Amino acid sequence: MIGYVTLAAAIIAEVVGSTMLKASQGFTKWLPALLVVLGYGFAFYFISMSLTYLPLNLVYATWAGLGTVLTVMVDYVFFKEWLNKQSLLGVALIVGGVFILNMSGVASHG
């Protein structure tokens, strides 16, 4: 369970870092730029913690997949970026892939 908690923290920290990367406007805004560094720093710390409990293939696929999905959602809500049908299909496929990977048991058997 702790592996998934630290993985969730890594995903949230990475999404904060990515969001602030856009908000920093090329690192010209100091507070968002600082949050980029902190977000990515915490993301890598928490992902390294999750790797002590979960296999790399599951951790990385989940981190990348759910991080992408959450970033798309944040982009849509806060930056008013448009999502078309293909974008929504892509997000659904990512979520499905992460779900299958986590449920398959293959990822947990190295």
Side-chain angles (χ1 to χ4, degrees):
M1 182 66 169
I2 190 74
Y4 284 103
V5 171
T6 55
L7 178 56
I11 292 167
I12 292 167
E14 189 267 335
V15 171
V16 168
S18 296
T19 303
M20 291 300 105
L21 194 58
K22 181 166 182 159
S24 76
Q25 298 178 4
F27 279 82
T28 60
K29 306 280 186 185
W30 73 270
L31 183 57
L34 175 63
L35 292 174
V36 169
V37 174
L38 290 173
Y40 283 117
F42 280 117
F44 282 106
Y45 170 75
F46 285 122
I47 202 167
S48 71
M49 293 295 101
S50 69
L51 287 169
T52 62
Y53 301 97
L54 300 169
L56 175 62
N57 60 349
L58 181 131
V59 168
Y60 191 75
T62 304
W63 182 50
L66 295 184
T68 299
V69 170
L70 287 175
T71 301
V72 167
M73 292 169 58
V74 166
D75 195 36
Y76 177 76
V77 171
F78 292 105
F79 298 110
K80 309 299 182 212
E81 297 289 335
W82 181 252
L83 292 172
N84 58 28
K85 290 177 188 175
Q86 291 85 1
S87 300
L88 293 173
L89 176 61
V91 167
L93 289 170
I94 290 169
V95 170
V98 169
F99 178 78
I100 290 168
L101 179 65
N102 278 276
M103 293 297 131
S104 70
V106 173
S108 64
H109 292 97

